Amino acid sequence: MLLSRMHPKEPAEFVKTVIGYPLDTEGGEAVGRTVSGLRQGQGCQLTPRELEVVRQLAEGKSNRLIARTLGISERTVKVHLKTVFSKFRVASRTEAVLSALRLGLVETGR
């Protein structure tokens, strides 16, 4: 349901793009295993650095603060964000964080 709201015409293709392999759409177990694998970082096409940037973004940090925290330039942060936006098929920082939350790549501080 989540994926169909994000990309109503191609939810399975969206998942394939993000995690790097197609879903077995038969049965709910496949989806559970996929999300579990994402939480463990298995099969996800985000690079480790992109994942770090998304996690910093989820904490509400600015590009400047993300750059300082990770020891990279602001320009590099922007490049990573642009790539993440493309992989998640989103257009904003907020949408990227929401997608990461929904896919289990980041967790809330609750």
Side-chain angles (χ1 to χ4, degrees), residues 82-93:
K82 183 177 179 180
T83 304
V84 168
F85 291 179
S86 175
K87 288 180 179 181
F88 283 171
R89 296 184 185 176
V90 299
S92 73
R93 298 164 71 89

Side-chain angles (χ1 to χ4, degrees), residues 16-73:
K16 181 181 174 186
T17 300
V18 174
I19 66 173
Y21 55 88
L23 280 178
D24 175 9
T25 55
E26 294 180 23
E29 297 263 338
V31 173
R33 282 196 309 269
T34 302
V35 172
S36 174
L38 282 172
R39 286 190 184 125
Q40 297 169 12
Q42 299 169 349
C44 183
Q45 284 189 345
L46 290 184
T47 66
R49 186 59 104 185
E50 289 165 353
L51 186 55
E52 288 179 56
V53 169
V54 168
R55 288 180 174 156
Q56 297 289 315
L57 188 65
E59 292 179 13
K61 294 183 179 177
S62 67
N63 289 357
R64 179 174 289 172
L65 191 52
I66 293 170
R68 284 186 195 154
T69 302
L70 300 180
I72 58 179
S73 72

Side-chain angles (χ1 to χ4, degrees), residues 3-20:
L3 293 175
S4 62
R5 282 190 308 216
M6 293 174 67
H7 299 281
K9 295 180 183 175
E10 305 174 348
E13 187 62 30
F14 172 73
V15 171
K16 181 181 174 186
T17 300
V18 174
I19 66 173

